Every structure is written in C-alpha cells, then in structure tokens.
Amino acid sequence: MIFSSDNWASAHPVIAESLVKAAGGYASAYGTSDLDKAVEKKLSDIFEREVAVFFVGTGTAANSLAIASANRPGGHTFCHTHAHVNADECGAPEFFAHGSRLAPVGGLLGRMDPENLKAEIKRTMSGGVHGGQPMAITLTQATEAGTVYSLDEIQAISSIAKSHDLPLHMDGARFANALVTLGATPAEMTWKSGIDLLSFGGTKNGCWCAEALILFDTAKAREMSYLRKRSAQLFSKSRFIAAQFDAYLRDDLWLDLARHANAMAAKLAEGIAKTTSARLAWPTGSNELFVILNAATAKTLQEKGAVFYDWPAPQEVVATMAKDEGLYRLVTSFATTDDDVGQFLATC
C-alpha cells in the first residue's frame, strides 16, 4: 500500500531492459549518439512539429533552465502559489535565473486564476523600475492538487502571456497523466494551446531518471545549449537518458502507464466515496488524491503498512474538517495494483 509518491515506484521492466541494452558497447557522447537523435526525432513526431530537446536529470533542472532562458533584469516569473517551482525546488529557479523572482498567483485547487494573474502582472508593472518586470509564466500540468487545466484554461493563460510578450512554460512532471485525462494530443495540450517550453517528465511515470526540456521554438536551441552546459546538466553518457525515453515512448508505453496510474486513482476514489471513515477533499483528474481522514483512521492505516503523506489543507478545506481530521495525499503509479487499492479500502 505505497501511496506516498509515484517517485517511489521502480523503473518499468521494459525501461530497465532498455537501460541494460544501452550499457554495452560504445556510443558518442554529449547527446550526439544515434539513439539520442532517434529519440529527439520521435519527440518531434509526437508533438507534430520540429522541437529542440534537451535531456536533463531532474524536473527541477528542466524547470529552472526554462525559467532561466526567459531571464530579464528584475524579472518576475508568475506561477501558482503552490506550484512545485515555488514550494519544492529550494530556490533553484531563482538561482539559475540569477536572482529573478517567482511571483505567486492564487487560484483554487492548483490552477492559476486568470484574473488573479492579470492583477499580479499589473501590480508588478505598476512599480516601474522599482517593481521589476514580468519575465515568464509557468503552469503545472497536472497540478500539485491533482487537478488538470483544460485546453481552454491553458489557452486563457496563453492569451495573457502573449498580450505581455511573455514565454509560457509548462511543468509536465505528470504530463502523461494529464494528457490521458483530457484525451488530447501532445500538440493540442502544448504549442497549439500556446505553450512555448515544456518540462517533459518521465521519472514519475516509469522511468528511472529521464526528464527533457522541450523547446517549441527551435531558434532558441543554441542559447539553451549553453545554459544546460553551464548548469552541469549536459550528461556525457546521455544515451542512458535516451535509452529510457526510447522504451518509454515506444508503442505508447508512456500513455498506457499513465492510464493505469489514473485508473488506480479512480478506483481508489470510488472506494473512498463508499466509506464512512474517509472522504475526498476535492475531485481530481490525475493520479493524486487528497483525502480527509480522522487521525485514528490514518494511524491504523499506517500501522497496517499504508504509506502516504499528510498535507497542508487549504483554508476552504479546513472549514469543512473536524478537529480530529487531517488532509492526506495518496498517489498511485504504474506499479499500483488492484490488491494495493483493495487492501487500503478494506483497512479504511
């Protein structure tokens, strides 16, 4: 009953096999191997246009390099208050962008509210040189609350970005989970909706260590090459990242893994809705669930082997909770089984 994080899951066997296969022989370094080039071509096919691909080791690196590429003196990058870049990356985006600032924007359940975004941009600009200048916007898909931006919602934020000539970045650590929820194509959820840069995550969805920063404007690739090198993210043996993506993307494995994780979350949600000891704090559209439990039930579950995190509750949720209740996050993955879900529900 491991529902702590999809980061806890192992590498999928097909991806592990691909790594073993890549371990033999020789291949040219620093992203120049045939395998690297083949995966880059595959990603261009998937996104229905030529893209520039930069393999990196972590999602934090991909996000930080995306923000750094938009750097302006006194720059502000707008993100949701609870976005990973703002709450969980130890200031890395600001560090790589030479001290630029993240400007938090409010919005219910992990999604930036467009009106709040407009107001925050206006507030920044009204200060002139004293306030700094807008630099970029970043949104998370799926969000830290397990919710998903619709295509219309992405396009609404894109419209604001374009009106201020700001690049729009998508943190896609759980990109595949959101994609299968929407039933959209990768192109529809990104550049066709106004996304300029994408952090394309594989680690949370069955890879060992595979992240990619994707640029939809290939003219910016040269500058990004230097940013990646200077950030120590240019892997000499990048074929091992490419090998993971090669297996991940082949025969739509990446989508199948995300569908499974989402299906397990849906099954868990359905079962929780039938219990009297737990309830969903809000509906989600990916593989993350946020559940309200009383402390005694949470303790019993943990004593019987369930692993999950307690979570800070938004004010609107706190108002619905009793004093002995807490908010907890449950995350499913490609490795979650029906038995895991059934055992949790039987214990709950």
Side-chain angles (χ1 to χ4, degrees):
M1 294 187 288
I2 306 299
F3 299 108
S4 48
S5 174
D6 36 13
N7 277 327
W8 284 40
S10 63
H12 187 273
V14 171
I15 293 168
E17 182 182 351
S18 186
L19 277 167
V20 172
K21 183 178 178 181
Y26 291 84
S28 58
Y30 300 112
T32 63
S33 76
D34 291 342
L35 185 57
D36 285 86
K37 293 175 182 177
V39 171
E40 290 169 7
K41 172 63 167 59
K42 177 66 173 177
L43 284 166
S44 289
D45 292 343
I46 285 172
F47 284 97
E48 302 175 39
R49 64 180 291 170
E50 183 182 0
V51 297
V53 180
F54 295 86
F55 296 141
V56 295
T58 68
T60 293
N63 293 338
S64 299
L65 287 173
I67 291 171
S69 72
N71 190 32
R72 295 178 181 177
H76 291 237
T77 297
F78 302 91
C79 64
H80 190 272
T81 303
H82 302 303
H84 201 270
V85 292
N86 191 46
D88 293 286
E89 294 186 350
C90 195
E94 295 100 329
F95 176 79
F96 280 94
H98 301 290
S100 71
R101 300 169 65 184
L102 292 172
V105 176
L108 293 176
L109 303 181
R111 291 176 292 223
M112 281 186 290
D113 182 280
E115 294 306 313
N116 290 345
L117 176 59
K118 290 177 185 177
E120 186 62 25
I121 293 173
K122 181 179 180 180
R123 185 196 66 78
T124 300
M125 295 176 70
S126 66
V129 69
H130 305 286
Q133 58 182 326
M135 188 173 92
I137 300 171
T138 178
L139 60 84
T140 310
Q141 181 76 326
T143 75
E144 300 303 320
T147 55
V148 172
Y149 286 92
S150 70
L151 298 186
D152 286 344
E153 288 170 330
I154 296 171
Q155 290 160 16
I157 292 175
S158 172
S159 177
I160 297 169
K162 298 300 182 281
S163 71
H164 293 283
D165 194 27
L166 301 177
L168 179 57
H169 165 252
M170 176 181 284
D171 175 357
R174 295 185 174 94
F175 183 85
N177 301 95
L179 192 71
V180 298
T181 293
L182 292 180
T185 68
E188 289 169 343
M189 202 171 79
T190 54
W191 63 271
K192 288 185 177 181
S193 291
I195 300 297
D196 299 296
L197 308 100
L198 168 67
S199 297
F200 183 75
T203 305
K204 285 182 167 67
N205 193 36
C207 291
W208 169 69
C209 176
E211 306 288 323
L213 178 57
I214 295 176
L215 278 59
F216 296 106
D217 181 357
T218 58
K220 298 186 182 299
R222 183 177 185 276
E223 185 73 13
M224 184 59 71
S225 296
Y226 286 96
L227 286 172
R228 179 176 63 167
K229 174 63 177 178
R230 191 171 61 179
S231 68
Q233 285 294 315
L234 177 57
F235 285 69
S236 60
K237 295 184 180 180
S238 62
R239 60 171 153 154
F240 289 102
I241 297 179
Q244 294 173 75
F245 276 127
D246 182 50
Y248 184 62
L249 300 172
R250 191 185 312 130
D251 299 326
D252 287 341
L253 176 64
W254 64 299
L255 299 176
D256 290 340
L257 298 182
R259 288 189 187 101
H260 176 82
N262 286 10
M264 291 296 99
K267 183 172 183 177
L268 192 56
E270 183 181 352
I272 287 171
K274 296 176 181 178
T275 71
T276 57
S277 58
R279 65 187 186 277
L280 294 179
W282 58 80
T284 63
S286 64
N287 61 321
E288 292 182 280
L289 298 179
F290 293 82
V291 180
I292 297 172
L293 298 167
N294 65 54
T297 300
K299 183 178 179 181
T300 297
L301 283 162
Q302 290 166 337
E303 287 174 346
K304 293 190 176 182
V307 184
F308 50 87
Y309 288 127
D310 59 341
W311 210 255
Q315 280 303 118
E316 62 270 19
V317 174
V318 171
T320 71
M321 293 165 52
K323 288 184 178 180
D324 64 343
E325 291 182 325
L327 180 66
Y328 301 88
R329 187 189 74 164
L330 307 177
V331 186
T332 56
S333 74
F334 80 91
T336 303
T337 66
D338 287 325
D339 287 345
D340 296 332
V341 172
Q343 187 178 355
F344 183 92
L345 294 174
T347 307
C348 193

